[in-house]
Amino acid sequence: MELIARLFLSFCFLTLSGLTFAAESGTPVTRVTVREDDDVILPCSLDTNENIESMLFDWVKEVPRKEVFMYRNRNHYNNGLPGQDVEFKGRVSHFPEELKYGNASIRIKQTRLEDNGTYTCIFPDIKPSEKIFRIELVVEPVLKIRNFPGAAPKPYVTILKEKGLLECEVPGASPKPTVEWRDSDNKTLPSKTVQDEEEHGRFHVTVQTTVTEPGCYHCVATQMEKWHRISSEICVHHEQTVIVKEGDDAILSCSPKTKENIESKPFSWTKEGPAGQKKVFLYDTSNNDLTGQDKQFKGRVSNFPEGLKHGDASITIKNTKVTDTGKYICSFSHLQPKRNAEILLLVDALSGTGMIKAAVFSVICGVIGFFVAV
């Protein structure tokens, strides 16, 4: 059984304000604000989390009406479907891996001031009545100190499907820019150029690098001839994913990197969720009053006493339930940072080749992170 958990991890340059999604109304229910030239995510998702890979959904911009993006049973504008407004050609994409969770969000690249307006996401075939969501996009103008012809635009950075593979794309620059990946200490990272093309005197350069540690990285495009330098940042957040069938036991692993003896060191496990944190497990030899465990986990969670001397703070959750799906945090109060491990637990309610219905969203001011073991 192949179950792939790829979740929205944070988006670059995205600010959301207003109410959460609701049914059709006379005013936009969600406002999205973005800086000119930055990319933006317009969110749209069914409350049921049902699979929409074979459904129809349509994105339009209102007043005047313009076709932005249409998806129909695995076909869309970027895949030959006709009818997209010329203003959005080559600038709009969706998230194919998220369709199975009911996510019809789209990304608009390099926003322009004329992108301002109200956008509608429509599911016309859902019964008994079509689903409609509205988003107001506000593009804030940016004062451009340098406006040299051919100056490299802000690099477009993303994390590819491979774990830790970062890609940076700089289109339409002249003269050819030097494109580098750098870490948070501004050290240049080893990278490879996967695209280096010239068209009408403009260069399109794409560079990739592989990182193994969580943190923030930035791609820098430099044109010394123009005294021009511009960069974009992306942050990688690592998580371990554990997948089990409902009713099976799940082991969530956690250990300080030092592998020190933690028999006398307190540590705790919590589960994050929309209603806040739930206490899953607490180990503390100096505190006899270990109250506060959420009733969802009472009598179902245990640790490995023999493993404590080797730094093993792992726990077992017995007889897992679908409601156990979510993000779990292992924390050591004597370490900095206190948070030591983040683990995503997915409990499959179906046997055989069934699909996990649960999805967990983590929106941060940064980027969507792919999750690997700590």
Side-chain angles (χ1 to χ4, degrees):
M1 178 177 63
E2 182 181 2
L3 298 172
I4 303 175
R6 298 199 182 279
L7 309 176
F8 275 110
L9 12 309
S10 49
F11 298 102
C12 292
F13 319 120
L14 175 63
T15 302
L16 294 177
S17 62
L19 301 177
T20 55
F21 289 134
E24 180 181 7
S25 61
T27 58
V29 296
T30 299
R31 171 176 290 186
V32 178
T33 303
V34 66
R35 294 185 304 174
E36 182 185 9
D37 292 330
D38 285 348
D39 296 352
V40 68
I41 304 295
L42 300 188
C44 177
S45 185
L46 293 180
D47 296 335
T48 58
N49 289 335
E50 63 185 292
N51 190 326
I52 60 173
E53 289 177 305
S54 60
M55 285 190 183
L56 165 67
F57 63 85
D58 188 21
W59 279 91
V60 297
K61 183 183 179 187
E62 302 177 356
V63 192
R65 190 180 191 279
K66 296 180 180 180
E67 281 289 336
V68 179
F69 186 85
M70 178 183 287
Y71 176 94
R72 178 187 294 148
N73 193 20
R74 296 175 175 82
N75 288 318
H76 48 82
Y77 287 138
N78 298 338
N79 194 28
L81 201 64
Q84 186 179 35
D85 192 275
V86 65
E87 179 180 332
F88 297 100
K89 284 188 179 296
R91 298 175 55 221
V92 185
S93 59
H94 68 308
F95 301 91
E97 288 298 320
E98 291 298 316
L99 295 175
K100 63 186 68 174
Y101 305 119
N103 186 0
S105 302
I106 58 172
R107 174 193 282 117
I108 301 178
K109 295 183 179 180
Q110 295 180 321
T111 53
R112 309 163 183 171
L113 293 179
E114 54 265 33
D115 291 334
N116 270 303
T118 300
Y119 293 73
T120 305
C121 173
I122 308 172
F123 292 86
D125 296 337
I126 292 183
K127 305 302 180 182
S129 62
E130 63 183 10
K131 289 286 186 179
I132 301 179
F133 305 94
R134 285 193 170 92
I135 295 89
E136 180 186 7
L137 175 60
V138 178
V139 182
E140 297 181 338
V142 175
L143 177 62
K144 299 178 181 179
I145 299 175
R146 298 182 182 273
N147 192 24
F148 301 124
K154 195 175 185 67
Y156 172 65
V157 293
T158 188
I159 300 179
L160 300 184
K161 292 183 179 179
E162 294 83 356
K163 296 181 292 188
L165 182 59
L166 309 183
E167 183 173 273
C168 173
E169 181 181 357
V170 181
S174 179
K176 181 180 175 180
T178 299
V179 182
E180 300 174 308
W181 275 103
R182 299 180 182 177
D183 62 16
S184 57
D185 295 325
N186 210 35
K187 294 180 180 178
T188 301
L189 301 175
S191 60
K192 67 175 181 178
T193 301
V194 296
Q195 185 178 21
D196 185 352
E197 299 178 353
E198 180 184 2
E199 184 177 357
H200 305 303
R202 298 293 181 100
F203 291 85
H204 192 130
V205 181
T206 303
V207 176
Q208 295 178 350
T209 190
T210 300
V211 298
T212 58
E213 296 294 330
C216 293
Y217 302 87
H218 53 286
C219 177
V220 182
T222 304
Q223 294 166 296
M224 291 302 298
E225 299 87 344
K226 295 179 178 291
W227 292 91
H228 176 65
R229 174 172 290 170
I230 190 168
S231 66
S232 293
E233 185 179 75
I234 194 168
C235 296
V236 179
H237 301 270
H238 287 183
E239 263 183 10
Q240 179 184 358
T241 302
V242 175
I243 302 173
V244 297
K245 293 180 182 178
E246 185 178 21
D248 289 350
D249 295 350
I251 296 179
L252 307 186
S253 301
C254 178
S255 179
K257 292 181 179 180
T258 58
K259 302 295 182 181
E260 63 186 284
N261 188 320
I262 57 172
E263 290 177 298
S264 61
K265 306 293 185 182
F267 64 87
S268 64
W269 282 87
T270 56
K271 179 178 184 287
E272 294 188 347
Q277 288 192 341
K278 293 182 177 180
K279 292 183 179 180
V280 178
F281 185 84
L282 173 62
Y283 176 89
D284 189 352
T285 57
S286 64
N287 180 10
N288 294 323
D289 184 22
L290 302 181
T291 59
Q293 184 183 37
D294 190 276
K295 62 181 180 180
Q296 175 183 343
F297 300 100
K298 285 189 180 297
R300 299 174 54 223
V301 184
S302 60
N303 69 320
F304 299 88
E306 289 300 317
L308 296 174
K309 61 184 67 175
H310 306 296
D312 187 3
S314 303
I315 58 172
T316 298
I317 301 179
K318 298 179 180 179
N319 190 24
T320 55
K321 309 171 183 177
V322 173
T323 53
D324 293 333
T325 292
K327 180 188 290 187
Y328 290 76
I329 306 299
C330 172
S331 302
F332 294 89
S333 59
H334 70 290
L335 296 178
Q336 293 297 331
K338 292 183 179 181
R339 177 177 295 189
N340 190 66
E342 298 183 4
I343 297 179
L344 179 68
L345 174 62
L346 298 177
V347 181
D348 185 6
L350 304 177
S351 59
T353 59
M355 177 186 304
I356 294 177
K357 299 292 185 180
V360 181
F361 285 84
S362 177
V363 180
I364 55 178
C365 190
V367 67
I368 301 173
F370 286 85
F371 307 136
V372 299
V374 173

